[in-house]
């Protein structure tokens, strides 16, 4: 498992690995931009309080436009991330190998899959705690529709036209937009690949969840984690694959027949300092599909209360 962290692609993996690498390289910049996203709250408030003051209206508009361009970049990146995930799923589930054999054979791709999930949960944790994103975007949309009524065409509209604004609006309305994108992509992948047994995809996910859980709960592995980042990486990946599994598997991750030890996974999370796992526990509470099914044991529900 520790080998996974330094895995290099084999020749057969190179094409997919290069495609995903390009996306992952961009991911670091996206996270940094989101982390420093402060929003235009002050300017928007002043503009709303003084509707007759054109200078303040212009000031708010000029503050919001570059931010919306950023939000558009994040949204477009989610589409590239979705394509990267599809390529990885194809590579990690293709016959004739079983999921465990794939994870053994294509360690570099398995690591990239983990890195995508790590990015996704990091992005969504930052987005969840930043209300400015939706405030800025709704102000932008209101201003555009008001100007449309007055027949004013704004340059920014060339940047984000109405159709794009609608798609972005749906994306940012989600509590965890990146995770939702990946869940939908995984579900779509399974439904489009009718000949591929659904277990090939879900076993790949449950195996990764198991690997992460074992790494987190086994002292001899944990002592090799030199920093908390590796711990967080493992926890995010574990939560990410659980959520994907829950979206794709007919009965989900919480049922007794699930191949994921949910109790063990939740317990491992609960043992960490709450500030580092609260976002992950929320992701399990609010972005899974089957937590509130009758088949979910009271014990598991109580653990997530």
């Amino acid at each position: 498992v520790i080998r996974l962290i330094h895995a290099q692609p084999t020749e057969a993996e190179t094409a997919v690995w290069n495609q995903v690498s390009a996306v992952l390289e961009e991911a670091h910049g996206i996270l940094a931009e989101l982390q420093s996203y402060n929003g235009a709250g002050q300017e928007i408030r002043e503009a709303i309080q003084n509707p007759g003051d054109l200078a303040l209206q212009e000031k708010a508009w000029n503050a919001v436009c570059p931010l919306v361009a950023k939000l558009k970049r994040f949204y477009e990146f989610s589409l590239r991330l979705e394509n990267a995930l599809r390529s990885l799923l194809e590579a990690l589930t293709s016959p004739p190998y079983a999921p465990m054999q794939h994870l053994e054979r294509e360690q570099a791709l398995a690591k990239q899959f983990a890195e995508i999930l790590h990015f996704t949960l990091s992005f969504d944790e930052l987005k969840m705690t930043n209300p400015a994103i939706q405030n800025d975007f709704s102000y932008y949309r209101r201003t555009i529709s008001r100007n449309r009524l007055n027949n004013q065409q704004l340059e920014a509209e060339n940047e984000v036209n109405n159709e794009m604004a609608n798609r972005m609006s749906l994306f940012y309305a989600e509590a965890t937009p990146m995770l939702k994108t990946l869940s939908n992509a995984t579900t779509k992948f399974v439904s489009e690949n009718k000949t591929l047994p659904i277990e090939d995809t879900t076993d790949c996910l449950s195996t990764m969840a198991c690997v992460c859980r074992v790494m987190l709960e086994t002292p001899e592995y944990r002592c090799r984690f030199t920093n908390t980042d590796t711990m967080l990486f493992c926890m995010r990946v574990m939560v990410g694959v659980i959520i994907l599994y829950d979206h794709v598997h007919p009965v989900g991750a919480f049922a007794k027949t699930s191949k994921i030890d949910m109790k063990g996974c939740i317990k491992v999370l609960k043992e960490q300092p709450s500030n580092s796992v609260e976002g992950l526990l929320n992701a399990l509470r609010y972005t899974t599909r089957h937590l509130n099914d009758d088949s979910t044991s009271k014990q598991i529900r109580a653990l997530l209360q």
Side-chain angles (χ1 to χ4, degrees), residues 65-85:
C65 281
L67 292 171
V68 168
K70 249 182 208 188
L71 294 178
K72 181 187 176 195
R73 256 203 316 286
F74 298 164
Y75 167 71
E76 288 175 333
F77 181 72
S78 77
L79 305 177
R80 284 200 289 288
L81 197 71
E82 185 180 346
N83 287 334
L85 180 85

Side-chain angles (χ1 to χ4, degrees), residues 7-19:
Q8 288 302 309
T10 61
E11 213 172 312
E13 297 169 90
T14 310
V16 172
W17 193 86
N18 287 339
Q19 179 210 344

Side-chain angles (χ1 to χ4, degrees), residues 42-169:
Q42 182 68 32
E43 293 88 339
I44 291 173
R45 264 194 307 282
E46 287 174 358
I48 290 172
Q49 282 158 5
N50 305 282
D53 188 328
L54 289 178
L56 286 177
Q57 306 307 312
E58 196 163 321
K59 189 181 171 195
W61 180 248
N62 291 336
V64 160
C65 281
L67 292 171
V68 168
K70 249 182 208 188
L71 294 178
K72 181 187 176 195
R73 256 203 316 286
F74 298 164
Y75 167 71
E76 288 175 333
F77 181 72
S78 77
L79 305 177
R80 284 200 289 288
L81 197 71
E82 185 180 346
N83 287 334
L85 180 85
R86 279 190 75 85
S87 303
L88 285 174
L89 283 172
E90 274 162 21
L92 290 169
T93 57
S94 58
Y97 304 108
M100 194 63 200
Q101 290 172 302
H102 270 298
L103 295 175
E104 283 281 314
R105 290 168 59 88
E106 286 118 15
Q107 293 191 358
L109 297 186
K111 168 148 197 277
Q112 284 186 321
F113 189 76
E115 282 174 349
I116 283 185
L117 290 168
H118 174 67
F119 162 80
T120 298
L121 280 125
S122 308
F123 181 97
D124 286 348
E125 278 171 32
L126 288 169
K127 187 265 173 186
M128 265 176 151
T129 50
N130 194 339
I133 290 175
Q134 269 173 290
N135 295 342
D136 294 348
F137 195 59
S138 13
Y139 178 78
Y140 173 84
R141 296 202 75 181
R142 284 201 306 276
T143 308
I144 275 191
S145 48
R146 195 170 58 238
N147 288 331
R148 223 182 259 124
L149 290 176
N150 306 336
N151 284 325
Q152 285 172 298
Q153 184 75 16
L154 298 161
E155 287 109 74
E157 266 197 85
N158 307 333
E159 271 282 315
V160 176
N161 61 24
N162 202 31
E163 187 202 349
M164 173 58 97
N166 287 336
R167 293 207 303 264
M168 284 169 65
S169 196

